[in-house]
Amino acid sequence: MKKGVMRPGHVQIRVLDLEEARKHYVDLLGLIEMDSDEQGRIYLKAWTEVDKYSVILKESDEPGMDFMASNAWMSRYWIVLPMKSVPLA
């Protein structure tokens, strides 16, 4: 059995205007809004996504990406591999 990264997991994106970003990802790109939390983050997923969400939008003073993770298969267990933050500006 092969081991390693199976597919992208989830990403948390910092946006300057949360409502404008929600409109872009939901109304224009067609992602599905799944949830939001008390910190103001919005959780989205694509039509065929098997996980609860794959994109997290978070309002911030500086645009960028907080983290990105990949789903991986190692032996008998699924793991999430975090990747470091990358500024988008």
Side-chain angles (χ1 to χ4, degrees):
M1 173 179 281
K2 289 189 172 197
K3 299 177 184 177
V5 173
M6 303 289 289
R7 60 185 170 81
H10 58 275
V11 60
Q12 181 165 290
I13 301 171
R14 294 188 310 267
V15 299
L16 298 176
D17 185 323
L18 191 60
E19 185 54 30
E20 284 299 314
R22 190 202 67 72
K23 287 178 187 176
H24 175 78
Y25 284 92
V26 174
D27 298 341
L28 183 63
L29 298 181
L31 295 182
I32 302 163
E33 187 170 342
M34 297 302 297
D35 204 356
S36 61
D37 65 19
E38 63 281 347
Q39 295 177 349
R41 293 178 293 205
I42 297 174
Y43 297 82
L44 308 168
K45 76 176 202 172
W47 292 11
T48 61
E49 181 63 48
V50 296
D51 295 326
K52 183 176 178 182
Y53 59 86
S54 57
V55 176
I56 306 164
L57 301 177
K58 174 186 171 186
E59 194 163 57
S60 177
D61 293 335
E62 183 177 331
M65 179 180 73
D66 286 332
F67 58 82
M68 180 177 182
S70 294
N71 290 329
W73 181 256
M74 301 299 234
S75 185
R76 298 179 186 185
Y77 305 99
W78 278 101
I79 62 170
V80 175
L81 301 174
M83 298 176 182
K84 72 190 233 184
S85 178
V86 176
L88 296 178

